[in-house]
Amino acid sequence: MIRTIRLLLKQVAYTNKAFWRNPASAFFTFAFPIMFLIIFNALLGNHTVLIGDKRAHYSTYYVSAMGTFGLISACYTNIAISISYARDEGLLKRISGTPLPKISYIGARVLHALFVALLLVVITALFGRLFYQAELPTGVTLLRFIVALVVGAVSFSALGFAVTSRVKDADASPAVVNASIFPLLFLSGIFIPLGNGAPSWIHWIARIFPVWHFALSMQAGFIGTAYNWTDVIIVAAWGLFGLLLSVRYFRWEPAR
Amino acid sequence: MPSELAVEVKGLKKSYGDFEAVKGIDFEISKGEIFSLLGPNGAGKTTTVEILEGFRKKSSGEIGVFGLSPEHDLTKLKERIGIVPQSGALDRYLTVSETVTMYAGYYRNPQPAEHVIELVGLQEKKNERAIRLSGGQQRRLEVAIAMVGNPDLLFLDEPTTGFDPAARRETWQIIKGLAELGKTILLTTHYMDEAEFLADHIAVIANGEIVAAGTPYNLGGRDKLRPKITLDYPEGVAPPPELKNVFTPSGAVTFEVNDITSAIYTIAEHARQNNVSLDSLQITRPSLEDVYLSLIGYDTEQAAEPEAKAARGGRSRRRNR
């Protein structure tokens, strides 16, 4: 047990080194949310939007939304694509032939994704604070916000692992992964807020999948709307579903 | 199992659905030897090796690696084996030194990373990222990864496929060096010269069965096959009539003889009388490749129509030739 954890922590350090040296993963994961934040604020920054019963500046809304987007990129997208490549190249198979406990390897990937996601949310928040006067969570709100972040990061990571079993080979992974997440990001109001005028089917899709629920927890932190534990539990349930799928279908070897 | 055996395989079978990839094979590998499984792609080499490595489950038969079962004692076994897989896979953004140190950490009794890096001759490159190494250097890094856990048995799956001649020689020297350290090595390859240079024992596998086993010297009765003598004769000079001979397409004459001493004497005497130069005289033993090709049932008639064969055999067959 101690050995498994020690190996896991060491593995996080190596995963981290490799992550920052890979220009594609570092750029897409880090630069994208900030870039979108700047673009959306340039377009809509001075307007306000009604979120639930609260009227918020778009700048605050997009700090929350791009934090959500960043976390999902770091956990779901990045894990799904990089694990697909590692599997295709035979790296996962090589590792599974060593005494390294598999849980240490997987745990390290999840923990690393969590670190990257936290860092991204902090950067997005500070950037929003500095340039767009966004409000930041404090006190109990901050604690609840952190719980939602951790649950979200672990759950979206689990879903990232799960989706790799649907990816035939690494070249297909960006397509499969982006096709599975981008429509959902739109349908969950990440890029354009879901007003009351949105058709009910969109609201229903948002309610079923985890992205909207996770976004609500983030909004509770930044905008001060109601924080519902139901949202956190729904995200966690999706994470559990991802975990079960992974346990059943995850492959360490490339498809031949 | 007697303690001098590293690997013991008895009646091993493996089926995928209706397809029988391995049809009941037996072999033994003694500790400290280089054992080569030789065979065309799709013969069952990789399946056999992956069963021993614990990646696949056997359908039936008995296997033991240092007396351990790859199915039931895999955790223990992983500490004692090192694997150089067929397709290279490295963390491309980690340096040589970081990679070897990382893998060393997975084992309970690793060798110092520095030492292993030196062993494979990568000390000059130790701060270079894997992605910036040449193909041969990447392969050496993979050998280093497989070595760092201080394994007793190394699996090398086609270690030099796609290498230029110099890189192959380099890799062979490293493998020889590992054997000198007392490691047992299971080498799969489809290069004859590789098996001939490295292996103490060879088993030839084709269509899931072992068709011959022996040393590079006596495999498939190679030691009992007769050598061939070839010599160019100038126009107008007939070769000695008392020896059985055939003309090769290049115009040289090939003699197939039983008693080589008297044949040489006859040829030399005849040459002296007819003023024929012996400069082009060659005596060749049948190569391991000749023996191998006959063992795996390679048909020279098919070889004469390569296009038809490629069309039927697909990619893997073409790579073999």
Side-chain angles (χ1 to χ4, degrees):
Chain A
M1 185 65 191
I2 301 285
R3 182 179 136 86
T4 303
I5 293 170
R6 189 172 51 80
L7 285 170
L8 188 154
L9 294 176
K10 272 187 170 178
Q11 196 62 33
V12 172
Y14 286 111
T15 306
N16 192 49
K17 262 186 195 155
F19 175 83
W20 290 106
R21 290 177 190 172
N22 179 349
S25 69
F27 177 80
F28 283 108
T29 310
F30 261 82
F32 258 38
I34 304 289
M35 193 178 83
F36 283 148
L37 184 63
I38 294 170
I39 294 172
F40 283 123
N41 270 312
L43 290 170
L44 301 161
N46 293 323
H47 297 73
T48 58
V49 58
L50 194 65
I51 303 293
D53 52 357
K54 283 247 178 188
R55 186 153 284 282
H57 269 278
Y58 263 110
S59 55
T60 304
Y61 178 80
Y62 278 120
V63 167
S64 161
M66 291 307 108
T68 306
F69 172 58
L71 181 138
I72 291 172
S73 294
C75 298
Y76 178 77
T77 313
N78 192 47
I79 281 192
I81 294 178
S82 69
I83 288 289
S84 296
Y85 272 95
R87 184 184 61 197
D88 228 32
E89 287 167 358
L91 205 57
L92 293 188
K93 186 176 177 182
R94 179 197 291 280
I95 283 167
S96 73
T98 72
L100 179 72
K102 287 180 178 172
I103 190 71
S104 298
Y105 185 80
I106 290 178
R109 298 299 298 243
V110 175
L111 199 58
H112 179 255
L114 172 66
F115 283 149
V116 171
L118 288 179
L119 185 60
L120 247 169
V121 172
V122 168
I123 289 175
T124 312
L126 291 180
F127 195 86
R129 177 85 202 140
L130 212 59
F131 295 102
Y132 307 119
Q133 292 79 45
E135 291 146 45
L136 302 184
T138 50
V140 183
T141 316
L142 179 62
L143 286 180
R144 286 192 303 213
F145 177 76
I146 290 172
V147 171
L149 273 186
V150 172
V151 169
V154 173
S155 298
F156 282 108
S157 297
L159 290 167
F161 275 103
V163 80
T164 59
S165 63
R166 304 301 312 153
V167 174
K168 264 216 178 67
D169 57 63
D171 291 336
S173 66
V176 172
V177 173
N178 285 320
S180 62
I181 195 67
F182 261 90
L184 201 53
L185 290 172
F186 276 100
L187 295 173
S188 305
I190 301 304
F191 300 113
I192 304 154
L194 292 186
N196 294 330
S200 68
W201 64 269
I202 291 188
H203 281 287
W204 270 109
I205 287 176
R207 269 179 224 138
I208 292 168
F209 290 99
V211 176
W212 183 67
H213 294 284
F214 178 64
L216 289 183
S217 306
M218 296 283 279
Q219 286 167 8
F222 286 109
I223 302 172
T225 46
Y227 182 94
N228 288 313
W229 286 104
T230 326
D231 291 323
V232 180
I233 289 166
I234 290 172
V235 173
W238 272 95
L240 192 64
F241 177 59
L243 177 70
L244 293 176
L245 285 182
S246 303
V247 168
R248 175 71 185 79
Y249 296 109
F250 188 73
R251 283 183 289 119
W252 289 80
E253 294 182 29
R256 288 252 182 260
Chain B
M1 180 168 31
S3 62
E4 66 272 13
L5 286 182
V7 175
E8 195 174 22
V9 174
K10 272 187 193 159
L12 175 66
K13 287 187 184 176
K14 174 70 183 178
S15 310
Y16 299 102
D18 288 342
F19 175 66
E20 230 182 352
V22 177
K23 301 173 183 166
I25 61 172
D26 307 85
F27 64 89
E28 286 176 352
I29 305 177
S30 305
K31 282 187 183 166
E33 75 166 327
I34 302 184
F35 183 92
S36 177
L37 263 184
L38 205 59
N41 290 327
K45 289 187 308 251
T46 301
T47 302
T48 304
V49 170
E50 290 196 337
I51 290 170
L52 292 172
E53 291 166 344
F55 286 124
R56 268 167 236 302
K57 290 198 182 345
K58 64 182 192 230
S59 299
S60 67
E62 282 173 46
I63 44 171
V65 181
F66 299 117
L68 299 168
S69 151
E71 281 177 33
H72 303 111
D73 315 308
L74 190 56
T75 314
K76 239 192 236 171
L77 189 58
K78 279 177 177 177
E79 292 281 352
R80 299 191 62 184
I81 62 173
I83 299 170
V84 180
Q86 200 175 103
S87 56
L90 292 164
D91 287 274
R92 54 180 80 187
Y93 297 107
L94 296 182
T95 66
V96 168
S97 190
E98 285 164 352
T99 304
V100 178
T101 309
M102 177 176 82
Y103 279 91
Y106 299 166
Y107 295 87
R108 285 172 201 274
N109 301 303
Q111 301 198 61
E114 285 287 320
H115 172 69
V116 179
I117 291 169
E118 207 179 300
L119 194 77
V120 299
L122 282 177
Q123 59 272 57
E124 308 263 297
K125 296 279 175 188
K126 69 177 186 181
N127 294 319
E128 202 73 75
R129 292 180 189 176
I131 197 172
R132 301 214 181 104
L133 300 176
S134 71
Q137 290 166 342
Q138 287 185 347
R139 207 60 174 155
R140 274 144 65 188
L141 176 55
E142 294 188 63
V143 173
I145 292 171
M147 281 292 298
V148 77
N150 206 6
D152 300 312
L153 170 64
L154 273 165
F155 292 95
L156 304 176
D157 198 356
E158 298 185 7
T160 65
T161 296
F163 278 22
D164 67 51
R168 295 185 72 201
R169 283 278 157 182
E170 258 175 42
T171 309
W172 288 359
Q173 292 307 336
I174 289 167
I175 295 171
K176 278 273 190 202
L178 299 179
E180 277 159 24
L181 293 174
K183 308 289 178 194
T184 306
I185 294 170
L186 201 174
L187 168 80
T188 60
T189 185
H190 47 223
Y191 293 128
M192 295 323 110
D193 51 348
E194 186 158 293
E196 186 158 26
F197 184 83
L198 292 172
D200 298 308
H201 285 98
I202 296 177
V204 176
I205 184 166
N207 295 318
E209 286 171 307
I210 289 185
V211 293
T215 65
Y217 179 71
N218 70 14
L219 185 77
R222 185 183 176 200
D223 52 333
K224 296 188 183 67
L225 292 175
R226 303 312 307 160
K228 284 178 185 166
I229 304 172
T230 53
L231 182 63
D232 287 331
Y233 282 91
E235 264 180 60
V237 180
E242 57 269 48
L243 296 175
K244 190 184 157 205
N245 66 64
V246 280
F247 279 90
T248 63
S250 62
V253 174
T254 297
F255 302 97
E256 284 181 30
V257 296
N258 286 320
D259 183 351
I260 193 140
T261 314
S262 76
I264 290 287
Y265 184 80
T266 309
I267 291 166
E269 183 60 27
H270 172 267
R272 198 174 57 80
Q273 283 166 11
N274 294 282
N275 217 8
V276 174
S277 159
L278 287 184
D279 286 0
S280 66
L281 183 73
Q282 282 184 31
I283 304 173
T284 44
R285 289 186 51 221
S287 71
L288 189 57
E289 187 151 347
D290 295 334
V291 175
Y292 168 76
L293 290 176
S294 70
L295 283 171
I296 63 166
Y298 186 85
D299 179 343
T300 34
E301 249 171 66
Q302 271 193 14
E305 18 168 343
E307 269 156 58
K309 185 173 180 197
R312 258 178 285 137
R315 199 174 86 191
S316 61
R317 295 282 289 279
R318 197 158 44 217
R319 246 179 75 192
N320 273 334
R321 294 187 295 123

